[in-house]
Amino acid sequence: MNPESKPGLTLQKVLLGVLIGLNVVTMIGGGVAVYYFKVADKRPAITEEKERAEMAEDREIRGDKPVLFTFDPFTINLDGRPRKLVRTTIQLEMLSETGYEEAVDLTPVERDQIVRILNGKTYEEIETIQGKLFLKDQIMTAMNSLLHKGSVKEVYFNEFVVQ
């Protein structure tokens, strides 16, 4: 009988299985260790007291003047029939100057998000005060999801014309 045609486990098969298992365990353990030592420990601890102190310091520096970021005017098609256009100028009130700087850096992405939100609206959805307030909330939520260092405190419509 040929030794290669013998059924059952050979030393080579057992050794190969053990080495593959050991390799998988080592890779998983290494990945967890890299995450724990490099990524997890680098997250800054955010506490409410720390944030309040930073906001108070920022208010002292600014003298309670709001930090406002103004977008260039938007002219956007609304959804639905008949076709209508919205012309609006939007201002964001930021909690800090750090957020303002981040908002300036992300202006194209922020404008794109606002255009997408408005493109999905119909005239009936935004003609009422409640509709405009809901739109403000949607814009604020979208902007805050884009910003990592700062936050939007309020959204203002300086101009809002529908044709």
Side-chain angles (χ1 to χ4, degrees), residues 31-141:
V32 169
V34 166
Y35 174 79
Y36 181 74
F37 291 116
K38 295 291 183 182
V39 177
D41 288 344
K42 300 298 181 194
R43 294 183 188 153
I46 298 174
T47 62
E48 190 172 341
E49 297 83 25
K50 180 180 172 185
E51 288 299 313
R52 282 186 184 173
E54 286 180 12
M55 285 177 62
E57 180 182 331
D58 188 57
R59 269 190 232 110
E60 284 179 22
I61 292 170
R62 288 186 288 113
D64 282 334
K65 294 178 187 171
V67 179
L68 298 173
F69 174 69
T70 305
F71 289 104
D72 291 336
F74 291 87
T75 303
I76 301 167
N77 291 316
L78 290 176
D79 196 15
R81 298 275 182 214
R83 286 287 185 197
K84 297 204 180 262
L85 290 173
V86 171
R87 179 163 174 85
T88 184
T89 305
I90 298 174
Q91 263 189 334
L92 305 178
E93 181 178 352
M94 309 303 294
L95 285 177
S96 67
E97 290 187 18
T98 306
Y100 174 85
E101 292 168 4
E102 186 178 15
V104 169
D105 292 340
L106 292 174
T107 298
V109 178
E110 294 165 339
R111 285 186 64 88
D112 180 63
Q113 282 292 327
I114 292 170
V115 167
R116 288 179 187 204
I117 291 169
L118 283 167
N119 278 147
K121 297 292 181 186
T122 62
Y123 174 70
E124 292 76 24
E125 291 176 311
I126 61 171
E127 72 177 323
T128 64
I129 297 295
Q130 290 85 4
K132 288 179 183 72
L133 291 173
F134 184 68
L135 179 61
K136 281 180 159 189
D137 286 343
Q138 282 186 301
I139 291 171
M140 186 183 330
T141 301

